[in-house]
Amino acid sequence: MKILGIESSCDECSAAIIEDDKILSHVIASQIPVHAKYGGVVPELASRAHIIDIVEVLRGAFAQAGVTSQDIDGVAVTQGPGLIGSLLVGIEAAKAFAYARDIPLVGVHHTEGHLLAPLLDTTEGMQKPRFPFMGLVVSGGHTNLIAVHGVGQYEMIGQTLDDAAGEALDKVGKMLGLPYPGGVAIDRLAVGGNPERFHFPRALPQHDNFDFSFSGLKTSVMTQLRRLQAMPQGQDLADLCASALEAVVDSLVRKTLRAAHAAHASTIVVAGGVSANKRLRQRLAEDCRAEGLQLSIPPMKLCTDNAAMIAGLGKFKLASLLAQHAHFEAFNLQPKPAWNLIEAISV
Ligand code: KG4
Ligand code: ZN
């Protein structure tokens, strides 16, 4: 069964075609240059860029896979959560395709896509995680700890009470005058910095608390900047980046490992843009090894927002809907900008 996946929930316009667990093609048009000068994603510009990109991205996915529209058996699209204007572009493209070909269309949950991305085949020979696993989804929009007992069987263990981890790093980056996205710049600069020079708070440290809070980090960095009096440069800047990053990484790693033990999960899966972070990867690898846990981080292209994970999840959803002889009505699919994962699976 060949499935076309479409993802347009935020600032990546992506299409992919999969066959079973194999990715036949995968195209992503990033909008980083569109939003860079504003220091964050501008929703209206994001939806306009999706409108410009979507047809070319779809064409690219077909060309790369070497298949035609006639070969596709079903379509999966991100239905939410995300920016409403951005979601609409992908959903309308998916509806048009499914309607024209008269094939089933399914709307899927973006975070669920991230969680199941490691079940796709990758060229890097990564071992597929076994259930139950503890998923950490950590990006500009999400910071969630989710116990995955099986496909469609999730338990929300913890989430951020304010900023997502990537959002906090992006805001700190902006305060330090770094280019957008700040998380990427902080990752680069932190390599030469001393993570112990400044102490930034680790929120909600209680052993049985699996929620996160990163908004206090901005205030602490701001206080530190006032103390330094001038805009930090050179070693001061590197030390600030390393120390701020350490506070984020420390919270993420400690809570994820604790949550894995609490849920009797022997594997940790990490997805979302922040999983590209060098220090996070290093700490996770060291601590998982020390505590006898297996670590599964998909290749970068499957960690950030992408349509392959949407097609991968769509495969499961379509199979179960087809088994129930569900009626597919492509025109009824509406975006769900604030869709909650646990709600999504309990309907
Ligand atoms: O998953 P993603 O591409 O989009 C969503 O937010 O859904 O993640 C983007 C986020 C941004 O906040 C960006 O700063 C962060 O991931 N990010 C990083 C790194 N690469 C991307 N943060 C820290 N270190 C990185 N290397
Ligand atoms: Zn995402």
Side-chain angles (χ1 to χ4, degrees):
M1 191 158 166
K2 289 191 184 66
I3 298 186
L4 168 68
I6 300 177
E7 155 66 36
S8 70
S9 63
C10 188
D11 60 341
E12 321 274 3
C13 190
S14 177
I17 296 168
I18 66 159
E19 182 166 24
D20 304 321
D21 292 345
K22 197 164 171 272
I23 301 171
L24 303 182
S25 67
H26 189 186
V27 176
I28 305 178
S30 168
Q31 299 178 4
I32 286 185
V34 176
H35 305 289
K37 66 176 173 228
Y38 304 100
V41 176
V42 182
E44 182 57 34
L45 295 184
S47 38
R48 286 187 214 173
H50 282 301
I51 292 170
I52 294 167
D53 291 338
I54 188 79
V55 172
E56 271 315 299
V57 164
L58 282 164
R59 280 206 184 109
F62 280 97
Q64 207 182 81
V67 301
T68 70
S69 61
Q70 297 303 316
D71 299 315
I72 302 297
D73 303 294
V75 186
V77 65
T78 304
Q79 193 173 3
L83 302 169
I84 186 158
S86 293
L87 287 166
L88 267 171
V89 179
I91 289 175
E92 293 310 313
K95 280 181 183 173
F97 188 89
Y99 181 73
R101 277 286 336 281
D102 195 20
I103 53 174
L105 165 69
V106 68
V108 304
H109 194 286
H110 179 87
T111 314
E112 191 178 2
H114 273 304
L115 276 178
L116 301 188
L119 299 180
L120 287 165
D121 284 343
T122 69
T123 49
E124 293 167 32
M126 191 189 71
Q127 222 184 326
K128 289 189 188 177
R130 260 181 277 133
F131 301 117
F133 61 77
M134 181 55 57
L136 170 69
V137 181
V138 68
S139 70
H142 316 270
T143 305
N144 298 104
L145 272 173
I146 301 166
V148 181
H149 299 285
V151 176
Q153 296 169 35
Y154 314 113
E155 196 185 336
M156 189 70 75
I157 303 291
Q159 55 199 316
T160 181
L161 304 180
D162 39 56
D163 289 349
E167 183 183 7
L169 290 173
D170 292 346
K171 287 177 179 170
V172 168
K174 202 170 174 182
M175 279 158 50
L176 297 175
L178 302 177
Y180 170 81
V184 177
I186 289 176
D187 187 12
R188 190 169 24 85
L189 285 163
V191 173
N194 173 4
E196 286 166 16
R197 164 128 175 242
F198 303 100
H199 184 78
F200 294 123
R202 275 69 164 156
L204 313 170
Q206 305 85 336
H207 208 78
D208 57 350
N209 188 322
F210 299 116
D211 287 331
F212 301 95
S213 168
F214 296 111
S215 65
L217 180 66
K218 285 174 301 186
T219 321
S220 301
V221 172
M222 184 56 83
T223 310
Q224 201 54 59
L225 280 177
R226 285 206 196 98
R227 276 196 206 122
L228 287 171
Q229 288 178 342
M231 204 56 177
Q233 289 184 341
Q235 197 58 46
D236 284 344
L237 181 59
D239 292 348
L240 267 172
C241 288
S243 304
L245 180 61
E246 198 62 22
V248 173
V249 167
D250 199 37
S251 289
L252 291 174
V253 174
R254 274 173 203 266
K255 291 192 180 228
T256 305
L257 269 70
R258 261 193 247 141
H261 292 304
H264 306 291
S266 59
T267 303
I268 286 176
V269 164
V270 188
V274 181
S275 60
N277 187 266
K278 290 191 276 297
R279 179 65 185 142
L280 177 63
R281 283 174 170 251
Q282 182 194 20
R283 265 288 300 274
L284 279 168
E286 285 169 5
D287 291 19
C288 282
R289 203 177 309 122
E291 297 191 20
L293 293 162
Q294 193 193 316
L295 177 64
S296 167
I297 308 184
M300 237 9 256
K301 221 179 158 185
L302 289 182
C303 274
T304 51
D305 289 352
N306 70 87
M309 68 182 193
I310 300 304
L313 171 58
K315 180 191 70 175
F316 293 115
K317 300 273 169 189
L318 282 168
S320 90
L321 289 169
L322 287 169
Q324 297 164 36
H325 304 288
H327 177 66
F328 291 91
E329 181 56 272
F331 278 144
N332 283 344
L333 197 75
Q334 297 296 331
K336 296 184 177 176
W339 202 10
N340 175 297
L341 177 63
I342 302 304
E343 261 169 37
I345 54 159
S346 48
V347 286

